[in-house]
């Protein structure tokens, strides 16, 4: 027990500030009933923070999950070097070649493994089953830790559903039995059922506050805004895959959006000139973020950070990894229309159609330049944004526009984001309003891991008017939108099948 307490105390002190060398295996963290029944609040919080760390490992520290799956797939991008074949594989949705060329590499095969997400899910299940045994614990803290575990479990399920479709689903602690894949609609509906009480049973936001005063928690620990944003995303994902109930899902998003606006002053859109503050993390615009702290060697993989893939001048390189097509950026930011994001987030060669090392272009959106302990320069030393207020406002607008019940409000939400960027207002309705909101999300959230998932959930991924590297509707219907599942999954679970489109 003494060794366990020491390990857990170390995790508490540095989980969000370093100590990547700490193993994250459940057997290191457990000592049976004694750990909980003879433990304390500090041990329980350490166990909780290890769940956040597992999610961080799954998305940013051990593999470039967010950038590759959310920003590069089916995107209008081109690599500067012909040797970086994985860029073309991702852009052209050639997941088979990606897997075959990089079978055990972070650029391919590792992203196709869901095991680290299941570490977070398993540990969330354990905490929920065991934390009531901890003696002398403040009851508000106990309830908060439970709520955070539910959020992290639901977030982990949401991420693997968006990547793989149907997935094994369980909520019991210490599960060892092999399980078949559960229909993703059921998985996500169960997540919504788990998340809703976090709002309904806590109307005063005492258990999960709207925000935290401490910088060590703000944005990177689950909040009421985190829960609302996740539920909005889940509902809109279900619109595509449970279309018979889409009206209800849209209404759910509207209700959630209304509550998010009543945020007790916790969230706001920062001035566009403070972009570096937004993307450093911990701002009033952040709803949920993954922590990075260079001062304590808590760092992400270089290629996991979108910014380090599209920057070069501040990294002492001759060119970035890839660039967007000039035509696509012209679509997002028309040359003769005002938009402060053009000058603040891009260099002067934004519209260049050349992909040449002699005239590279770069994106400056996320620049918070710093140096790692080993001397490596990064263009983005900040947190990884998962959800932020601007994106959630656009989801709210999208649901209103889809229902057609209040186009005036939908335009107001859309224009709130555009006004912040000093762009002209849009006042329209119907399908034109839906399109305007889609393109605004592409503009505002470029590089934040939403592009591909927005294409999938709206059905635009098979429409060349919206996706420059589309798949066919037929292939979409048989699973071309999913990732291949790494075949190692079959070694531990004989009850599952792989995603057949990629086999």
């Amino acid at each position: 027990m003494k060794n366990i307490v020491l390990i857990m105390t170390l995790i508490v002190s540095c989980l969000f500030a370093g100590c990547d060398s700490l193993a994250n295996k459940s057997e290191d963290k457990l000592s049976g009933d004694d750990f909980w029944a003879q433990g304390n609040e500090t041990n329980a919080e350490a166990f909780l923070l290890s769940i956040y760390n597992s999610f961080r490992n799954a998305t940013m520290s051990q593999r470039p999950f967010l950038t590759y799956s959310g920003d590069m797939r089916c995107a209008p991008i081109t690599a500067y070097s012909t040797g970086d074949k994985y860029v073309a594989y991702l852009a052209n949705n050639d997941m088979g070649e990606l897997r075959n060329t990089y079978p055990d590499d972070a650029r391919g095969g590792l992203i196709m493994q869901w095991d680290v997400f299941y570490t977070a899910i398993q540990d969330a299940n354990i905490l929920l089953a065991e934390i009531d045994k901890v003696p002398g614990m403040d009851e508000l803290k106990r309830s908060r830790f439970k709520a955070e575990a539910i959020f992290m479990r639901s977030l982990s399920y949401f991420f693997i559903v968006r990547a793989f479709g149907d997935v094994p689903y369980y909520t019991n602690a210490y599960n060892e039995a092999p399980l078949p894949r559960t229909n993703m609609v059921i998985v996500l509906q169960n997540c919504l059922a788990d998340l809703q009480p976090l709002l309904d049973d806590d109307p005063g936001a005492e258990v999960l506050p709207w925000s935290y005063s401490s910088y060590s928690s703000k944005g990177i620990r689950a909040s009421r805004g985190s829960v609302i944003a996740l539920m909005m995303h889940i509902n809109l994902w279900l619109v595509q895959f449970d279309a018979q109930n889409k009206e209800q899902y849209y209404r759910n998003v509207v209700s959630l959006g209304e509550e998010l606006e009543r945020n007790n002053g916790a969230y706001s859109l920062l001035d566009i000139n403070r972009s570096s503050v937004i993307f450093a993390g911990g701002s009033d615009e952040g709803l949920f973020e993954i922590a990075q702290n260079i001062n304590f060697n808590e760092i992400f993989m270089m290629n996991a950070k979108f910014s380090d893939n599209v920057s070069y001048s501040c990294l002492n390189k001759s060119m970035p990894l890839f660039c967007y097509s000039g035509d696509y950026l012209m679509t997002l930011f028309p040359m003769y229309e005002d938009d402060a994001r053009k000058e603040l987030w891009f260099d002067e060669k934004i519209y260049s159609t050349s992909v040449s090392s002699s005239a590279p272009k770069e994106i400056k959106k996320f620049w918070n330049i710093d140096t790692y302990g080993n001397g490596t320069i990064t263009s983005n030393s900040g947190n990884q944004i998962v959800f932020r207020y601007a994106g959630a406002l656009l989801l709210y607008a999208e649901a209103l526009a889809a229902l057609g019940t209040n186009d005036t409000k939908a335009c107001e939400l859309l224009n709130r984001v555009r006004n912040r960027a000093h762009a002209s207002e849009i006042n329209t309705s119907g399908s034109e309003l839906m399109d305007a909101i889609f393109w605004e999300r592409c503009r505002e959230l470029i590089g934040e891991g939403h592009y591909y998932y927005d294409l999938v959930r709206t059905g635009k991924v098979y429409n060349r008017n919206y996706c420059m590297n589309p798949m066919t509707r037929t292939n979409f219907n048989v699973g071309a939108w999913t990732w291949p599942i790494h075949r190692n999954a079959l070694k531990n679970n004989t009850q599952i099948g792989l995603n057949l489109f990629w086999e």
Side-chain angles (χ1 to χ4, degrees):
M1 181 63 185
K2 184 181 295 184
N3 290 336
I4 296 294
V5 170
L6 175 59
I7 291 172
M8 299 304 288
T9 302
L10 285 172
I11 294 175
V12 153
S13 64
C14 61
L15 188 62
F16 284 107
C19 296
D20 285 329
S21 62
L22 282 175
N24 191 36
K25 299 178 180 179
S26 59
E27 58 264 30
D28 292 333
K29 294 180 287 187
L30 296 176
S31 62
D33 289 340
D34 285 349
F35 173 75
W36 301 99
Q38 298 180 26
N40 54 45
E41 185 177 299
T42 298
N43 290 359
E45 185 166 23
F47 193 92
L48 170 65
L49 295 183
S50 74
I51 300 170
Y52 286 91
N53 195 50
S54 293
F55 186 80
R56 176 178 172 271
N57 288 338
T59 53
M60 296 299 295
S61 294
Q62 295 180 359
R63 57 203 69 179
F65 185 89
L66 272 175
T67 293
Y68 282 36
S69 68
D71 291 308
M72 296 175 68
R73 195 166 172 190
C74 290
I77 57 175
T78 303
Y80 279 93
S81 171
T82 56
D84 293 319
K85 296 180 180 179
Y86 61 96
V87 175
Y89 294 152
L90 287 163
N92 295 313
N93 198 41
D94 196 347
M95 299 295 102
E97 281 303 309
L98 184 71
R99 175 187 59 199
N100 296 339
T101 307
Y102 306 97
D104 297 304
D105 191 292
R107 293 168 292 183
L110 288 184
I111 304 176
M112 301 170 191
Q113 297 182 13
W114 58 29
D115 56 324
V116 187
F117 285 107
Y118 275 106
T119 299
I121 289 167
Q122 170 186 283
D123 288 347
N125 291 341
I126 291 171
L127 183 144
L128 290 166
E130 301 283 7
I131 196 169
D132 284 340
K133 297 177 182 177
V134 178
M137 189 173 176
D138 178 83
E139 290 305 316
L140 180 61
K141 280 285 188 70
R142 196 190 308 270
S143 297
R144 181 172 297 166
F145 291 177
K146 288 180 180 179
E148 290 184 70
I150 290 170
F151 172 80
M152 290 305 300
R153 180 176 69 188
S154 299
L155 183 65
S156 297
Y157 272 126
F158 179 56
F159 268 55
I160 57 175
V161 159
R162 291 195 304 177
F164 303 107
D166 300 344
V167 297
Y169 175 78
Y170 70 101
T171 58
N172 58 303
Y174 312 112
N175 183 78
E176 295 181 356
L179 299 171
R181 295 167 70 183
T182 298
N183 182 281
M184 64 177 169
V185 171
I186 295 174
V187 173
L188 294 182
Q189 287 175 338
N190 287 346
C191 289
L192 288 175
D194 287 341
L195 292 166
Q196 189 64 51
L198 304 186
L199 304 180
D200 294 344
D201 297 345
D202 185 28
E206 295 178 352
V207 175
L208 279 185
W210 281 108
S211 186
Y212 297 88
S213 58
S214 169
Y215 183 77
S216 64
S217 298
K218 188 174 183 178
I220 59 177
R221 295 283 290 267
S223 66
R224 193 173 185 87
S226 307
V227 172
I228 291 173
L230 176 56
M231 293 179 70
M232 294 173 84
H233 276 277
I234 291 175
N235 274 283
L236 288 176
W237 189 264
L238 286 168
V239 165
Q240 174 64 230
F241 295 99
D242 186 26
Q244 62 183 352
N245 294 309
K246 66 180 182 180
E247 298 292 319
Q248 184 59 55
Y249 294 130
Y250 283 132
R251 287 194 292 271
N252 292 346
V253 173
V254 169
S255 295
L256 291 162
E258 290 172 345
E259 179 166 1
L260 187 62
E261 277 199 295
R262 301 188 300 267
N263 62 53
N264 200 31
Y267 310 122
S268 63
L269 298 180
L270 273 63
D271 188 284
I272 194 66
N273 291 299
R274 301 183 67 203
S275 291
S276 63
V277 176
I278 297 171
F279 300 114
S283 79
D284 287 346
E285 193 161 334
L287 300 180
F288 187 71
E289 305 166 0
I290 303 169
Q292 179 176 219
N293 191 322
I294 286 182
N295 292 330
F296 293 93
N297 198 36
E298 184 187 65
I299 59 178
F300 301 147
M301 291 181 67
M302 290 295 289
N303 61 343
K305 291 172 291 182
F306 176 86
S307 186
D308 283 347
N309 289 298
V310 295
S311 301
Y312 73 94
S313 62
C314 63
L315 304 177
N316 295 330
K317 294 181 178 180
S318 60
M319 58 187 175
L321 175 67
F322 66 84
C323 67
Y324 284 90
S325 78
D327 290 341
Y328 177 70
L329 293 178
M330 180 72 79
T331 298
L332 293 188
F333 301 99
M335 184 178 297
Y336 299 109
E337 293 185 11
D338 291 337
D339 194 318
R341 292 171 293 196
K342 289 189 292 186
E343 290 75 26
L344 290 171
W345 292 359
F346 299 86
D347 70 5
E348 70 281 0
K349 297 187 287 292
I350 178 175
Y351 302 120
S352 172
T353 58
S354 171
V355 184
S356 169
S357 59
S358 63
K361 59 184 180 181
E362 61 185 343
I363 298 177
K364 305 180 294 180
K365 177 181 179 180
F366 303 95
W367 278 15
N368 281 280
I369 302 166
D370 208 334
T371 304
Y372 291 157
N374 62 4
T376 302
I377 301 172
T378 178
S379 64
N380 181 14
S381 60
N383 297 342
Q384 172 64 44
I385 308 296
V386 178
F387 304 133
R388 64 183 173 97
Y389 193 49
L393 291 179
L394 292 172
L395 294 182
Y396 180 14
E398 179 182 332
L400 284 169
L403 291 171
T405 54
N406 194 341
D407 287 348
T408 300
K409 178 64 175 179
C411 287
E412 184 269 319
L413 293 164
L414 168 62
N415 288 324
R416 199 183 305 177
V417 176
R418 291 182 60 77
N419 288 340
R420 189 262 293 270
H422 309 302
S424 60
E425 291 194 353
I426 294 175
N427 292 289
T428 185
S429 61
S431 60
E432 290 184 358
L433 178 54
M434 288 290 288
D435 281 357
I437 295 166
F438 170 79
W439 288 116
E440 194 62 32
R441 282 184 59 83
C442 291
R443 288 183 201 96
E444 178 67 23
L445 303 177
I446 190 169
E448 296 182 45
H450 295 282
Y451 170 78
Y452 178 71
Y453 296 125
D454 278 0
L455 286 172
V456 171
R457 66 175 183 77
T458 60
K460 291 178 170 61
V461 74
Y462 44 79
N463 188 329
R464 192 170 291 277
N465 292 324
Y466 305 95
C467 179
M468 294 187 181
N469 294 312
M471 61 187 71
T472 67
R473 177 70 176 267
T474 298
N475 285 347
F476 177 88
N477 289 338
V478 293
W481 63 270
T482 64
W483 280 80
I485 299 172
H486 199 288
R487 292 174 182 134
N488 282 351
L490 298 176
K491 296 179 180 179
N492 299 319
N493 189 347
T494 58
Q495 298 296 308
I496 66 168
L498 303 178
N499 282 332
L500 295 181
F501 182 84
W502 300 112
E503 300 306 318

